[in-house]
Amino acid sequence: MTCYAGVVSAAVAPLLHGPHRSARVVAVTRYAVHLATGERELPALAVVTRDAIRLPNAFVLPFSSVERPLDTLRGQPAGLGAGGIAIGAVRFEPGASWTPPRVQDVPSRPDPARVRQAAALLDIRAHPLPPPLVARLAGLRHALHTDDASEVRRAARALVGLGPGLTPSGDDILCGALLASRAWGGPLGALSDAVADAARRTPLLSAALLRHAVRGECVAQAREFLRALGGDGPLDAALDDLLAVGHHSGGDLARGVLAVGQDRAPGTTRGSSGRPCR
């Protein structure tokens, strides 16, 4: 058996403890192998090359997708535990761990001028949303402005699993909203309730990333975008870096962040109905 050392996210390192047990390969690209773990709180683990997007549930390998593409592992049996990961005839063992970025250390609330600037730039640079998603995102924004937990929960549930791919746009929007709420004091409870059963309604990888977002764990590009909205670092560069995440995921994460940011910036007030006062 060939063995490679890597670095494992501290968020998913407990999955490697205990006896060896079966896992299931659910998606493979040249950059990553995504495993279903069977664990409710940590439902997926990603084995990724060093040039892949570093997801908060990633075991990162020391080689690139050019040097050793991972799509050669498609269709192989997999397992976890006994100190490592096995996929086919290859074993991966952690030589160290890394700590995924968390938005709890974002120091400042969003600056209203930067939120407006980011929204304008996003309209120009991001892939457009299809009409059904535009309507559901508008519903989430309205619910956030009303500050009504039941409305937020209903609008968020309407986004779960909406859109194609391993991480549908609706889920990416919700990840952004969860991260912003964790960082800035938004309706985290209502949003968390809305995604509690995501594993039954959306692809496994997306459900896993929603669980990480509930805890404030994310890709580095998302945290840096939140920091830039608060005035810490250049906004233009932070947005471009986030937009480079996936085909549409970065833009959708930004949309979710801004949906909360437009309501949580200092100086935003609500009337008795919860709508912003003019």
Side-chain angles (χ1 to χ4, degrees), residues 98-189:
W98 65 281
T99 302
R102 292 172 62 89
V103 298
Q104 285 87 330
D105 65 359
V106 171
S108 303
R109 293 175 70 82
D111 175 80
R114 286 195 164 215
V115 169
R116 290 192 296 271
Q117 180 188 357
L121 290 171
L122 190 63
D123 284 343
I124 296 168
R125 298 179 184 178
H127 290 282
L129 286 174
L133 276 160
V134 171
R136 300 287 177 87
L137 176 56
L140 179 64
R141 286 172 175 154
H142 173 75
L144 290 167
H145 286 320
T146 66
D147 210 24
D148 181 304
S150 63
E151 285 295 304
V152 171
R153 193 178 301 111
R154 178 196 59 77
R157 282 187 64 80
L159 281 163
V160 175
L162 191 60
L166 290 175
T167 60
S169 287
D171 295 345
D172 289 330
I173 289 168
L174 289 172
C175 278
L178 284 161
L179 294 169
S181 294
R182 173 70 75 176
W184 297 326
L188 184 64

Side-chain angles (χ1 to χ4, degrees), residues 170-241:
D171 295 345
D172 289 330
I173 289 168
L174 289 172
C175 278
L178 284 161
L179 294 169
S181 294
R182 173 70 75 176
W184 297 326
L188 184 64
L191 290 168
S192 299
D193 288 347
V195 303
D197 63 347
R200 297 198 298 269
R201 304 176 60 209
T202 198
L204 180 77
L205 172 59
S206 199
L209 295 178
L210 284 165
R211 297 304 304 158
H212 286 285
V214 167
R215 295 190 290 269
E217 298 161 352
C218 59
V219 295
Q221 295 89 336
R223 184 185 62 179
E224 293 312 303
F225 180 60
L226 270 78
R227 292 174 68 94
L229 286 170
D232 185 4
L235 178 60
D236 196 271
L239 178 59
D240 280 347
D241 287 346

Side-chain angles (χ1 to χ4, degrees), residues 58-78:
F59 182 104
V60 185
L61 298 169
F63 49 80
S64 73
S65 62
V66 174
E67 294 166 326
R68 291 188 178 90
L70 296 181
D71 50 8
T72 58
L73 298 176
R74 192 184 311 275
Q76 297 297 311

Side-chain angles (χ1 to χ4, degrees), residues 253-264:
L253 280 165
R255 290 181 173 105
V257 167
L258 293 174
V260 174
Q262 287 164 344
D263 193 51
R264 298 288 151 178

